[in-house]
Each structure stands twice: as C-alpha cells, then as structure tokens.
Amino acid sequence: MAFTWKNSFNGGSNGTTITTANSGGTSGTAFSSVDGSPTYTTTNATGLRAPLVGRFASSSDIVKWSVSLAARTIYARTHVYRTGNPSSSATLIWFYDGFGGTTLRLLSTGRVAVATDAFDDFVPGTTTTDPIPANQWVRLEVKLVYGTTSNSGSCELRVYHSADSGTPTETKTATGADLRTSLPVSVWFWGVDGITVYHDDLGVSDVTWVGPNQLNANVTPSVLAGTWGMPAPAVSTGVGVS
C-alpha cells in the first residue's frame, strides 16, 4: 500500500526522550523504533520548525520508520540543523535493506552525498558542490529508484539552503547507479558523533517528493455589523405612496 508519512515532533514535551509511544499523535506518524536517547527540544525551534524539534547528540540517537514499498521508488525528507562538521563522513539518512543499503552522508567538508552499501562508496555525481550552511535550517530531500539488476538504479538529491523554499539550491542526479536491488525495509534518521544535529519535519513516501513544509491555518472572519436607512417618502398631489 502506498504511503506518505510525516513527523513534526510538535506533539512531544521539551526535554523528554523521544519514544515510539510518544512520537505519534499531533506530531504525525509515530516512529517504528527509536535507538539511543534523542530528545524533544525547543532549542533552534524557529520559524516553521516551532515549537519543538528533535535533538540528536550522537550517532547512537536514531529514529526509524519500517517501510514496505508499493513499487521500487522511495523519497525521504529531513530539515537539519547542525552545529559543525563531523571529523569524517557520517550518516544522516539510511535506507536500510536488512543487510546494508543506501545512505545520505554528511562529509567532513560540510557537503552531502549519496553513498551505497559501503558507507563511503559515493554514487558518482551526487556530491554537492557547496557545503550546506551550519547553524541554520536546511532541507534535504532524496529520491531513490532501485533497479532490478546491478547498475540500473537512479537517484536524485535536492538541497535547499532556504529550508522552506520551493526551489533547490543544488540538485544532483545519477543514473545507472548500483543502489543494490534489495528494497529498503526501514528508513533511519541519525545523529552524528562530535556535533549536535537537530532534525525536524521528517518525511518518507513511496508516492512523490514530500516537499516543503506548509503552515496550516484556519481563518475565521469577524462578524461585520451593517447599517441601513430608509429615506422618508416624498408625497405630492396625485401620486400614491407605498
């Protein structure tokens, strides 16, 4: 069955550890499992990220969704805020197939790239030209298409330095890529050792790009009081008045 799942972390409580039990509700689709101790926090919860985001203090902090694809394509989204660069490349998103899988990596230079099976086996053409800015929110979106044979997959990475923009700062694509033929059984969102990473407004789909977050609001118009008046009728000889 096709799916699109999102989680905003907004249904949690500041300082509380994120769990499968408290991750649903008004936050969105609950996570299937949680490793380590990622926490809800108001720190850096600015703009559309308010009022809460997820704080991931190390690579032990992970939230996961189990997935079953309707076809052979999957999309994922995260809004990420990081306090610096890792000492070596680190996983931000892992499309886990039960044995290994494809990852979105944050490099020590601050650039991001798609990599397969071996974590530093980067897919040619997917490393961004520019680093993503530190200490601000950035949106990362990935599309993976799994081939039925080796070197028949494809992927696309979209990077938005302005987190809620509809226009990517960079787009990187690869065709004829060896993403393995095994489909992912779960999608993991990771912290990074040596720096603090904040994730927010996570999403996975096997339908389409999750896209930018939107501010939903209900507008209730005020009651307006109308004024009116009836002019006095004019009376003259030979004219009837109703």
Side-chain angles (χ1 to χ4, degrees), residues 23-101:
S23 63
T26 56
S27 291
T29 304
F31 298 113
S32 306
S33 60
V34 177
D35 291 349
S37 300
T39 58
Y40 296 102
T41 183
T42 57
T43 302
N44 296 318
T46 57
L48 293 183
R49 311 288 79 78
L52 292 167
V53 300
R55 180 180 184 272
F56 295 68
S58 74
S59 62
S60 298
D61 294 342
I62 308 168
V63 295
K64 309 173 185 178
W65 272 309
S66 296
V67 297
S68 178
L69 305 191
R72 303 188 69 82
T73 301
I74 190 168
Y75 305 80
R77 176 191 77 179
T78 181
H79 296 73
V80 65
Y81 183 113
R82 61 189 177 84
T83 59
N85 294 335
S87 58
S88 59
S89 69
T91 301
L92 289 175
I93 306 176
W94 191 7
F95 300 87
Y96 180 62
D97 65 13
F99 301 96

Side-chain angles (χ1 to χ4, degrees), residues 222-237:
S222 299
V223 176
L224 300 178
T227 59
W228 61 276
M230 177 179 288
V235 179
S236 60
T237 304

Side-chain angles (χ1 to χ4, degrees), residues 71-142:
R72 303 188 69 82
T73 301
I74 190 168
Y75 305 80
R77 176 191 77 179
T78 181
H79 296 73
V80 65
Y81 183 113
R82 61 189 177 84
T83 59
N85 294 335
S87 58
S88 59
S89 69
T91 301
L92 289 175
I93 306 176
W94 191 7
F95 300 87
Y96 180 62
D97 65 13
F99 301 96
T102 303
T103 60
L104 178 64
R105 308 282 290 170
L106 174 64
L107 282 58
S108 60
T109 57
R111 298 188 295 170
V112 291
V114 177
T116 57
D117 200 23
F119 282 166
D120 288 324
D121 186 9
F122 298 113
V123 175
T126 64
T127 301
T128 58
T129 303
D130 298 317
I132 60 173
N135 299 307
Q136 74 171 57
W137 287 105
V138 175
R139 186 168 101 248
L140 305 175
E141 298 211 42
V142 186

